Amino acid sequence: MRFVADVMLGKLARWLRILGYDVAYDPNADDEQLVQQAVNEKRILLTKDRHLVERWRKKLRLNGYLLLNSDDWREQLKQTVNYFGLDIHERRLTRCPNCNGVLDEVPKEAVRYRVPFFVFVQHEHFAQCSQCGKIYWAGSHYERMNAALDELLREEPLKNENANEVDNS
Ligand SMILES: [Zn+2]
């Protein structure tokens, strides 16, 4: 399942990537570019913009879309996870939150001079973004992020049916 997020959903895009999902996001994209990318790359559009959906509904129906109703990225994440039934555990730390690139495992020796010394000493497993080259490891920051996600997504699904508008046909 691949997504493209509208310009207002940068935080949501980042957190979905942390869960391991492929989310295209360009803060400078206009409506037409977003819709075109959804069509060309078979991505589901995540948006807060009702007018965009109304104007381009026919094209958006090809791959589906989700109209989000909250300004809070936490609620947006819950709504997206619940609606699409996303797996919130299996893929974590497989994709770069910054650029959406896939992370590849790299041997410890390869990162010796590219991470702080204490990190190198304390960790055995490292991953590198195939696009931007950033190095990741399961350190304390990652642990906190994981814990925050667990707590957030453990809560009951939203039951606000009127506010959801979805169309996956
Ligand atoms: Zn990256």
Side-chain angles (χ1 to χ4, degrees), residues 5-165:
D6 84 21
V7 294
M8 298 166 77
L9 300 175
K11 261 209 157 134
L12 174 64
R14 202 180 156 78
W15 282 93
L16 283 170
R17 288 170 180 171
I18 289 168
L19 287 177
Y21 286 90
D22 180 343
V23 186
Y25 173 73
D26 175 358
N28 301 310
D30 64 29
D31 290 1
E32 196 163 354
Q33 285 168 332
L34 279 173
V35 173
Q36 209 48 53
Q37 187 172 17
V39 171
N40 291 347
E41 300 176 11
K42 298 196 192 318
R43 292 177 182 274
I44 296 165
L45 179 75
L46 303 172
T47 185
K48 277 224 63 195
D49 188 341
R50 182 174 294 278
H51 298 295
L52 184 157
V53 167
E54 279 164 8
R55 180 162 174 216
W56 302 95
R57 196 184 294 270
K58 221 171 162 184
K59 281 193 169 184
L60 291 174
R61 276 189 174 142
L62 292 173
N63 300 301
Y65 61 88
L66 177 60
L67 188 57
L68 294 153
N69 50 56
S70 175
D71 289 325
D72 184 336
W73 67 267
R74 297 172 195 83
E75 296 302 322
Q76 294 165 356
L77 185 65
K78 280 196 260 187
Q79 190 183 350
T80 307
V81 164
N82 290 336
Y83 178 68
F84 294 106
L86 301 184
D87 189 313
I88 58 168
H89 298 292
E90 280 303 304
R91 304 157 177 243
R92 282 192 201 180
L93 203 61
T94 59
R95 198 168 280 276
C96 179
N98 290 340
C99 80
N100 201 37
V102 172
L103 301 186
D104 298 320
E105 255 193 73
V106 286
K108 181 169 174 166
E109 266 314 308
V111 304
R112 178 184 282 270
Y113 301 109
R114 303 187 57 193
V115 297
F117 180 70
F118 72 94
V119 170
F120 182 77
V121 171
Q122 283 176 4
H123 296 276
E124 294 304 317
H125 298 285
F126 295 88
Q128 182 169 21
C129 175
S130 56
Q131 273 185 50
C132 74
K134 192 173 157 116
I135 308 226
Y136 291 89
W137 60 89
S140 53
H141 172 69
Y142 174 70
E143 297 299 330
R144 280 197 300 276
M145 209 170 65
N146 257 340
L149 272 175
D150 285 339
E151 186 168 331
L152 175 67
L153 296 174
R154 188 183 56 209
E155 293 166 19
E156 281 298 294
L158 286 177
K159 293 209 172 60
N160 189 357
E161 281 166 22
N162 291 334
N164 288 7
E165 186 190 333

